[in-house]
Amino acid sequence: MARFKNKVVAITGAASGIGAATTRLFAQEGAQVVAFDTSQTLAESFAGEAAIVTMQGDAGREEDVLAMFALATSRFGGVDIICANAGVTGGEAGLFDQSVESWEQVLRINLIGPFLAVRHGAKTMVDSGRAGAIVCTASVAALRAGAGGPAYSASKAGVVNLVQIAAQQLAGSGIRVNAVCPGLIESGMTRELYDKARAKGREGSIGKLNPLRRGGHPAEIARAIAFLASDEASYVNGHALVVDAGLSTSHPFARPSALGETIF
């Protein structure tokens, strides 16, 4: 397939997991890709892949995001597709234990990062006379409590609202803005969980709360992102596509404290 022939794609958080799978899928389907990440091994990850240009930077830092789009413009004349994928978990601390500094860091990467990608990416598209698609990685944790830490969940809920606002404010531009909401996916972000389960011989318990009774793979999310970015989704705009094996149909979770316990 060559759905993205002659298209230019910019992807943040491209070094591993969903970002790496998405980067490779776009390249395989004909796109020129600017892969952006903080990782020191980013260039090594895509060495020898001619369709992929790498750039090290921080998705939550405006100067770096501007530099990413400047690179896409200087090398390829602009950008057609943006995947704002970079994210951090913020750990497992509860609402009353997580520090303000941790919240600030999570929001900077997970919410300000997509804002910067949308803001400057859309301008790059308009300035070069291109219509295009923007896909932001949110999470099932954006939908209701029980699927992620407090700061992470709040930041991803912000991403869902961000794409709705952006879709409205880009009306008439031809630029579509959507989000993908992954469930439990094996990636760098969840490596510790998977490693612990395997060490205890309990890998089979991963994902057991969803109806398919398994965790997901980065390639499964990459295919959803590619769909949203493609002409096959030409009438999909301002939408959050849930890809979670049905987890969010109930979101069961264990409460952190019993009724009547002191939480402070």
Side-chain angles (χ1 to χ4, degrees), residues 133-158:
I134 302 173
V135 183
C136 299
T137 302
S139 169
V140 291
L143 307 178
R144 55 186 63 88
Y152 178 81
S153 300
S155 70
K156 294 301 187 178

PDB file of all heavy atoms in Angstrom, residues 133-158:
ATOM      1  N   ALA A 133      -4.039  16.500   8.156  1.00  0.00           N
ATOM      2  CA  ALA A 133      -4.648  15.840   9.304  1.00  0.00           C
ATOM      3  C   ALA A 133      -3.704  15.882  10.490  1.00  0.00           C
ATOM      4  O   ALA A 133      -2.487  15.714  10.338  1.00  0.00           O
ATOM      5  CB  ALA A 133      -4.985  14.386   8.959  1.00  0.00           C
ATOM      6  N   ILE A 134      -4.279  16.096  11.661  1.00  0.00           N
ATOM      7  CA  ILE A 134      -3.542  16.069  12.917  1.00  0.00           C
ATOM      8  C   ILE A 134      -4.175  15.004  13.798  1.00  0.00           C
ATOM      9  O   ILE A 134      -5.393  14.982  13.969  1.00  0.00           O
ATOM     10  CB  ILE A 134      -3.574  17.431  13.629  1.00  0.00           C
ATOM     11  CG1 ILE A 134      -2.989  18.523  12.730  1.00  0.00           C
ATOM     12  CG2 ILE A 134      -2.818  17.358  14.957  1.00  0.00           C
ATOM     13  CD1 ILE A 134      -3.142  19.932  13.288  1.00  0.00           C
ATOM     14  N   VAL A 135      -3.340  14.120  14.338  1.00  0.00           N
ATOM     15  CA  VAL A 135      -3.827  13.076  15.239  1.00  0.00           C
ATOM     16  C   VAL A 135      -3.049  13.177  16.549  1.00  0.00           C
ATOM     17  O   VAL A 135      -1.809  13.117  16.545  1.00  0.00           O
ATOM     18  CB  VAL A 135      -3.646  11.669  14.639  1.00  0.00           C
ATOM     19  CG1 VAL A 135      -4.244  10.618  15.586  1.00  0.00           C
ATOM     20  CG2 VAL A 135      -4.301  11.574  13.265  1.00  0.00           C
ATOM     21  N   CYS A 136      -3.755  13.331  17.639  1.00  0.00           N
ATOM     22  CA  CYS A 136      -3.136  13.411  18.958  1.00  0.00           C
ATOM     23  C   CYS A 136      -3.387  12.115  19.727  1.00  0.00           C
ATOM     24  O   CYS A 136      -4.497  11.571  19.682  1.00  0.00           O
ATOM     25  CB  CYS A 136      -3.716  14.581  19.755  1.00  0.00           C
ATOM     26  SG  CYS A 136      -3.457  16.205  19.001  1.00  0.00           S
ATOM     27  N   THR A 137      -2.377  11.645  20.421  1.00  0.00           N
ATOM     28  CA  THR A 137      -2.547  10.442  21.224  1.00  0.00           C
ATOM     29  C   THR A 137      -3.093  10.820  22.595  1.00  0.00           C
ATOM     30  O   THR A 137      -2.424  11.493  23.375  1.00  0.00           O
ATOM     31  CB  THR A 137      -1.219   9.685  21.383  1.00  0.00           C
ATOM     32  OG1 THR A 137      -0.718   9.345  20.090  1.00  0.00           O
ATOM     33  CG2 THR A 137      -1.415   8.407  22.195  1.00  0.00           C
ATOM     34  N   ALA A 138      -4.322  10.397  22.862  1.00  0.00           N
ATOM     35  CA  ALA A 138      -4.925  10.578  24.183  1.00  0.00           C
ATOM     36  C   ALA A 138      -4.837   9.234  24.912  1.00  0.00           C
ATOM     37  O   ALA A 138      -3.788   8.614  24.923  1.00  0.00           O
ATOM     38  CB  ALA A 138      -6.361  11.071  24.046  1.00  0.00           C
ATOM     39  N   SER A 139      -5.920   8.768  25.509  1.00  0.00           N
ATOM     40  CA  SER A 139      -5.898   7.508  26.249  1.00  0.00           C
ATOM     41  C   SER A 139      -7.311   7.187  26.714  1.00  0.00           C
ATOM     42  O   SER A 139      -8.143   8.092  26.874  1.00  0.00           O
ATOM     43  CB  SER A 139      -4.977   7.630  27.481  1.00  0.00           C
ATOM     44  OG  SER A 139      -5.121   6.524  28.360  1.00  0.00           O
ATOM     45  N   VAL A 140      -7.570   5.914  26.997  1.00  0.00           N
ATOM     46  CA  VAL A 140      -8.843   5.588  27.649  1.00  0.00           C
ATOM     47  C   VAL A 140      -8.907   6.224  29.031  1.00  0.00           C
ATOM     48  O   VAL A 140      -9.995   6.440  29.571  1.00  0.00           O
ATOM     49  CB  VAL A 140      -9.052   4.066  27.771  1.00  0.00           C
ATOM     50  CG1 VAL A 140      -9.274   3.450  26.413  1.00  0.00           C
ATOM     51  CG2 VAL A 140      -7.906   3.391  28.495  1.00  0.00           C
ATOM     52  N   ALA A 141      -7.748   6.561  29.593  1.00  0.00           N
ATOM     53  CA  ALA A 141      -7.731   7.259  30.894  1.00  0.00           C
ATOM     54  C   ALA A 141      -8.360   8.636  30.804  1.00  0.00           C
ATOM     55  O   ALA A 141      -8.704   9.232  31.822  1.00  0.00           O
ATOM     56  CB  ALA A 141      -6.296   7.376  31.402  1.00  0.00           C
ATOM     57  N   ALA A 142      -8.525   9.155  29.587  1.00  0.00           N
ATOM     58  CA  ALA A 142      -9.172  10.453  29.388  1.00  0.00           C
ATOM     59  C   ALA A 142     -10.673  10.380  29.594  1.00  0.00           C
ATOM     60  O   ALA A 142     -11.326  11.404  29.814  1.00  0.00           O
ATOM     61  CB  ALA A 142      -8.892  10.962  27.982  1.00  0.00           C
ATOM     62  N   LEU A 143     -11.224   9.190  29.537  1.00  0.00           N
ATOM     63  CA  LEU A 143     -12.675   9.046  29.460  1.00  0.00           C
ATOM     64  C   LEU A 143     -13.352   8.973  30.810  1.00  0.00           C
ATOM     65  O   LEU A 143     -14.458   9.471  30.989  1.00  0.00           O
ATOM     66  CB  LEU A 143     -13.016   7.795  28.642  1.00  0.00           C
ATOM     67  CG  LEU A 143     -12.361   7.730  27.256  1.00  0.00           C
ATOM     68  CD1 LEU A 143     -12.738   6.438  26.566  1.00  0.00           C
ATOM     69  CD2 LEU A 143     -12.742   8.937  26.411  1.00  0.00           C
ATOM     70  N   ARG A 144     -12.698   8.295  31.769  1.00  0.00           N
ATOM     71  CA  ARG A 144     -13.246   8.199  33.121  1.00  0.00           C
ATOM     72  C   ARG A 144     -12.161   7.660  34.046  1.00  0.00           C
ATOM     73  O   ARG A 144     -11.110   7.220  33.589  1.00  0.00           O
ATOM     74  CB  ARG A 144     -14.490   7.301  33.162  1.00  0.00           C
ATOM     75  CG  ARG A 144     -14.288   5.908  32.610  1.00  0.00           C
ATOM     76  CD  ARG A 144     -15.614   5.154  32.553  1.00  0.00           C
ATOM     77  NE  ARG A 144     -16.559   5.781  31.651  1.00  0.00           N
ATOM     78  CZ  ARG A 144     -16.623   5.518  30.342  1.00  0.00           C
ATOM     79  NH1 ARG A 144     -15.795   4.631  29.798  1.00  0.00           N
ATOM     80  NH2 ARG A 144     -17.491   6.116  29.586  1.00  0.00           N
ATOM     81  N   ALA A 145     -12.406   7.720  35.349  1.00  0.00           N
ATOM     82  CA  ALA A 145     -11.394   7.317  36.329  1.00  0.00           C
ATOM     83  C   ALA A 145     -11.122   5.819  36.264  1.00  0.00           C
ATOM     84  O   ALA A 145     -11.978   5.035  35.880  1.00  0.00           O
ATOM     85  CB  ALA A 145     -11.854   7.695  37.736  1.00  0.00           C
ATOM     86  N   GLY A 146      -9.910   5.436  36.662  1.00  0.00           N
ATOM     87  CA  GLY A 146      -9.597   4.036  36.825  1.00  0.00           C
ATOM     88  C   GLY A 146      -8.645   3.452  35.809  1.00  0.00           C
ATOM     89  O   GLY A 146      -8.324   2.277  35.895  1.00  0.00           O
ATOM     90  N   ALA A 147      -8.185   4.239  34.842  1.00  0.00           N
ATOM     91  CA  ALA A 147      -7.300   3.694  33.813  1.00  0.00           C
ATOM     92  C   ALA A 147      -5.937   4.364  33.776  1.00  0.00           C
ATOM     93  O   ALA A 147      -5.163   4.123  32.859  1.00  0.00           O
ATOM     94  CB  ALA A 147      -7.970   3.810  32.442  1.00  0.00           C
ATOM     95  N   GLY A 148      -5.622   5.197  34.769  1.00  0.00           N
ATOM     96  CA  GLY A 148      -4.326   5.858  34.791  1.00  0.00           C
ATOM     97  C   GLY A 148      -4.193   6.729  36.014  1.00  0.00           C
ATOM     98  O   GLY A 148      -5.166   6.949  36.749  1.00  0.00           O
ATOM     99  N   GLY A 149      -2.990   7.242  36.247  1.00  0.00           N
ATOM    100  CA  GLY A 149      -2.752   8.140  37.364  1.00  0.00           C
ATOM    101  C   GLY A 149      -3.502   9.451  37.189  1.00  0.00           C
ATOM    102  O   GLY A 149      -3.933   9.801  36.081  1.00  0.00           O
ATOM    103  N   PRO A 150      -3.656  10.219  38.274  1.00  0.00           N
ATOM    104  CA  PRO A 150      -4.455  11.452  38.218  1.00  0.00           C
ATOM    105  C   PRO A 150      -3.966  12.475  37.195  1.00  0.00           C
ATOM    106  O   PRO A 150      -4.754  12.963  36.374  1.00  0.00           O
ATOM    107  CB  PRO A 150      -4.348  12.000  39.645  1.00  0.00           C
ATOM    108  CG  PRO A 150      -4.076  10.809  40.488  1.00  0.00           C
ATOM    109  CD  PRO A 150      -3.225   9.905  39.651  1.00  0.00           C
ATOM    110  N   ALA A 151      -2.691  12.825  37.241  1.00  0.00           N
ATOM    111  CA  ALA A 151      -2.178  13.834  36.321  1.00  0.00           C
ATOM    112  C   ALA A 151      -2.234  13.336  34.881  1.00  0.00           C
ATOM    113  O   ALA A 151      -2.594  14.084  33.960  1.00  0.00           O
ATOM    114  CB  ALA A 151      -0.747  14.215  36.698  1.00  0.00           C
ATOM    115  N   TYR A 152      -1.881  12.083  34.680  1.00  0.00           N
ATOM    116  CA  TYR A 152      -1.921  11.487  33.343  1.00  0.00           C
ATOM    117  C   TYR A 152      -3.351  11.527  32.790  1.00  0.00           C
ATOM    118  O   TYR A 152      -3.587  11.960  31.662  1.00  0.00           O
ATOM    119  CB  TYR A 152      -1.416  10.053  33.407  1.00  0.00           C
ATOM    120  CG  TYR A 152      -1.451   9.321  32.088  1.00  0.00           C
ATOM    121  CD1 TYR A 152      -0.441   9.499  31.146  1.00  0.00           C
ATOM    122  CD2 TYR A 152      -2.486   8.443  31.774  1.00  0.00           C
ATOM    123  CE1 TYR A 152      -0.459   8.828  29.936  1.00  0.00           C
ATOM    124  CE2 TYR A 152      -2.525   7.772  30.566  1.00  0.00           C
ATOM    125  CZ  TYR A 152      -1.508   7.967  29.655  1.00  0.00           C
ATOM    126  OH  TYR A 152      -1.541   7.306  28.453  1.00  0.00           O
ATOM    127  N   SER A 153      -4.305  11.081  33.609  1.00  0.00           N
ATOM    128  CA  SER A 153      -5.696  11.033  33.165  1.00  0.00           C
ATOM    129  C   SER A 153      -6.228  12.424  32.842  1.00  0.00           C
ATOM    130  O   SER A 153      -6.903  12.629  31.821  1.00  0.00           O
ATOM    131  CB  SER A 153      -6.559  10.382  34.245  1.00  0.00           C
ATOM    132  OG  SER A 153      -6.118   9.068  34.515  1.00  0.00           O
ATOM    133  N   ALA A 154      -5.934  13.391  33.708  1.00  0.00           N
ATOM    134  CA  ALA A 154      -6.391  14.761  33.474  1.00  0.00           C
ATOM    135  C   ALA A 154      -5.774  15.342  32.209  1.00  0.00           C
ATOM    136  O   ALA A 154      -6.446  16.018  31.420  1.00  0.00           O
ATOM    137  CB  ALA A 154      -6.055  15.635  34.685  1.00  0.00           C
ATOM    138  N   SER A 155      -4.490  15.064  31.985  1.00  0.00           N
ATOM    139  CA  SER A 155      -3.831  15.596  30.793  1.00  0.00           C
ATOM    140  C   SER A 155      -4.423  15.008  29.528  1.00  0.00           C
ATOM    141  O   SER A 155      -4.626  15.708  28.530  1.00  0.00           O
ATOM    142  CB  SER A 155      -2.323  15.317  30.855  1.00  0.00           C
ATOM    143  OG  SER A 155      -2.032  13.931  30.703  1.00  0.00           O
ATOM    144  N   LYS A 156      -4.734  13.717  29.549  1.00  0.00           N
ATOM    145  CA  LYS A 156      -5.289  13.077  28.364  1.00  0.00           C
ATOM    146  C   LYS A 156      -6.734  13.502  28.111  1.00  0.00           C
ATOM    147  O   LYS A 156      -7.171  13.589  26.958  1.00  0.00           O
ATOM    148  CB  LYS A 156      -5.177  11.558  28.490  1.00  0.00           C
ATOM    149  CG  LYS A 156      -3.735  11.048  28.488  1.00  0.00           C
ATOM    150  CD  LYS A 156      -2.993  11.421  27.223  1.00  0.00           C
ATOM    151  CE  LYS A 156      -1.620  10.775  27.147  1.00  0.00           C
ATOM    152  NZ  LYS A 156      -0.906  11.107  25.884  1.00  0.00           N
ATOM    153  N   ALA A 157      -7.477  13.778  29.187  1.00  0.00           N
ATOM    154  CA  ALA A 157      -8.814  14.346  29.008  1.00  0.00           C
ATOM    155  C   ALA A 157      -8.707  15.705  28.320  1.00  0.00           C
ATOM    156  O   ALA A 157      -9.534  16.061  27.464  1.00  0.00           O
ATOM    157  CB  ALA A 157      -9.520  14.480  30.351  1.00  0.00           C
ATOM    158  N   GLY A 158      -7.679  16.464  28.694  1.00  0.00           N
ATOM    159  CA  GLY A 158      -7.436  17.742  28.038  1.00  0.00           C
ATOM    160  C   GLY A 158      -7.140  17.588  26.565  1.00  0.00           C
ATOM    161  O   GLY A 158      -7.551  18.426  25.744  1.00  0.00           O
TER     162      GLY A 158
END
